[in-house]
Amino acid sequence: MEKRLFVNKEQLENIVKEFPTPFHLYDEKGIRERARALQKAFAWNPGFREYFAVKATPNPFILKILQEEGCGVDCSSLTELMMAEACGFSGADIMFSSNDTPAEDFRYARKLNATINLDDLTHVDFLKKVASVPRLISCRLNPGGYFSIANNIMDNPGDAKYGFTKEQMMEGYRRLMELGAEEFGIHAFLASNTTTNDYYPTLARILFQFAVELKEKTGAHISFVNLSGGVGIPYRPDQEPVDIAQVGEGVRRAYEEILVPAGMGGVAIYTELGRYMLGPNGCLVTTAIHEKHIYKEYIGLDACAANLMRPAMYGAYHHITVMGKENAPCDHKYDVTGGLCENNDKFAVDRMLPKIDIGDLVVLHDTGAHGFAMGYNYNGKLRSAEVLLCEDGSAKLIRRAETPKDYFATFDFTGLFDRY
């Protein structure tokens, strides 16, 4: 399958005249279309809501677009809660799912009346101690062992640091009811970046069955089941995308077979999709600035792993388009690199690409989620700008690039850095 960008060479050349590379570019039209497709897939559930995972793309301009499309936000830290509040989210608009949570974060979540999703049994009394227990609360399940679909092991929850065991969930719900909680949610995240249509339906069956068991054994009123994230995107050209309509239908069948007969037909379904919502609707725009010919052929970009960590950290694949050479033969083998003093600072290794010339615009696909967000300042590298390609075709700066002054701003070293 051919991977296509949401922007063409002429558009990009005009954008680059105003905003120098590197920068992350986001597609407003694609974001809205994806939000609407998700809503349609789960329209059978009156309480359905998507809580966008802020950690994936923490930018208020992006959050406001999703807010306009009816989404809430999934926050995992104090600053994400603050950003959500600044964007006008509050109360039922916010899911707060964190782990090893500081007291300050819990207190802020309670201030906003966010729906708190506890990660551990000990957090029940910790929350009571540092803040208060709300009427509606959720707990995160870790069933342990291996999570598999059709005999294919997808992930190993037993090795994950997240969540309660099933026995702890029972104990936790009872304790929370003693402390005044009246309504409950169930949450779980068992696999990452799955591109099978069966992930959500399989997870839903596990959680729906457990919801029935929890209700029967504890008497807890289950208000929602949160399927969290995990629905992925096709980073490689040969991968098929998830059919979200088919996913929604699979969850509906599980709902009708398990929850409805148990008298739980009013349970709302929530999702927390970051990668699925934003991944394909973002790209990293760079310029080729160097070439090197030693034991291998190298192309050096003006971006580095500080702008996109995934290839260096995970060996992750991101497709590359050389603008204007989309139809040229891929007859050159390159390592495509950045300028960090680390040998893993490579966006691609032994990648077959068209001949790249200095000054070519080189675009890395699918960076809309966990792209800019995972940036850092190693080697004193500065974070790039973020630009929004608006529905009307105009480009809008939604985060300026960092400057040396930003980098030095946290030093209390009078006078030394004032010149910047």
Side-chain angles (χ1 to χ4, degrees), residues 37 63 68 115 137 148 163 168 190 204 252 265 313 357 374 411:
L63 299 188
E68 290 170 7
T115 301
I137 196 164
S148 62
Q168 288 174 340
L190 301 189
R252 186 197 65 79
M313 187 174 185
D357 297 302
M374 296 176 71
F411 290 110

Side-chain angles (χ1 to χ4, degrees), residues 226-247:
N226 189 332
L227 301 177
S228 188
V231 176
I233 61 173
Y235 285 100
R236 295 178 179 272
D238 58 354
Q239 290 179 298
E240 290 293 325
V242 169
D243 183 339
I244 200 65
Q246 187 174 328
V247 170

Side-chain angles (χ1 to χ4, degrees), residues 25-158:
L25 180 67
Y26 304 100
D27 180 26
E28 180 184 2
K29 182 174 181 287
I31 294 168
R32 293 187 185 277
E33 288 176 349
R34 189 148 285 221
R36 292 168 190 174
L38 177 64
Q39 297 279 2
K40 183 178 179 181
F42 285 88
W44 55 266
N45 182 258
F48 173 76
R49 197 164 193 203
E50 156 65 10
Y51 288 84
F52 174 71
V54 176
K55 66 180 75 68
T57 319
N59 187 298
F61 291 89
I62 300 295
L63 299 188
K64 292 297 288 186
I65 291 171
L66 292 166
Q67 184 181 50
E68 290 170 7
E69 295 298 333
C71 300
V73 285
D74 159 42
C75 298
S76 59
S77 69
L78 178 66
T79 50
E80 288 182 0
L81 287 168
M82 289 175 170
M83 185 181 295
E85 181 185 25
C87 289
F89 295 96
S90 64
D93 297 332
I94 305 173
M95 289 288 303
F96 179 63
S97 297
S98 64
N99 67 94
D100 197 10
T101 310
E104 184 180 14
D105 294 30
F106 273 139
R107 282 193 287 265
Y108 209 90
R110 288 295 293 123
K111 171 192 166 187
L112 298 180
N113 199 27
T115 301
I116 292 174
N117 181 43
L118 295 176
D119 184 66
D120 184 69
L121 179 59
T122 62
H123 292 180
V124 174
D125 285 309
F126 183 76
L127 177 62
K128 176 181 179 293
K129 177 182 177 182
V130 302
S132 61
V133 173
R135 187 184 67 82
L136 170 65
I137 196 164
S138 178
C139 295
R140 180 171 182 165
L141 173 67
N142 183 334
Y146 290 92
F147 175 71
S148 62
I149 298 175
N151 297 320
N152 292 321
I153 294 175
M154 306 298 292
D155 217 323
N156 182 7

Side-chain angles (χ1 to χ4, degrees), residues 343-354:
N343 197 45
N344 68 349
D345 182 20
K346 297 178 179 180
F347 296 112
V349 175
D350 293 333
R351 185 77 60 87
M352 298 304 298
L353 294 165

Side-chain angles (χ1 to χ4, degrees), residues 386-406:
E386 293 181 291
V387 179
L388 181 68
L389 179 62
C390 302
E391 284 190 295
D392 63 6
S394 64
K396 176 181 180 180
L397 186 68
I398 60 173
R399 188 195 300 264
R400 66 167 175 80
E402 284 185 335
T403 66
K405 185 175 182 180
D406 296 315

Side-chain angles (χ1 to χ4, degrees), residues 152-170:
N152 292 321
I153 294 175
M154 306 298 292
D155 217 323
N156 182 7
D159 275 351
K161 67 176 182 176
Y162 308 108
F164 294 59
T165 67
K166 287 187 174 182
E167 294 74 19
Q168 288 174 340
M169 287 278 276
M170 298 283 184

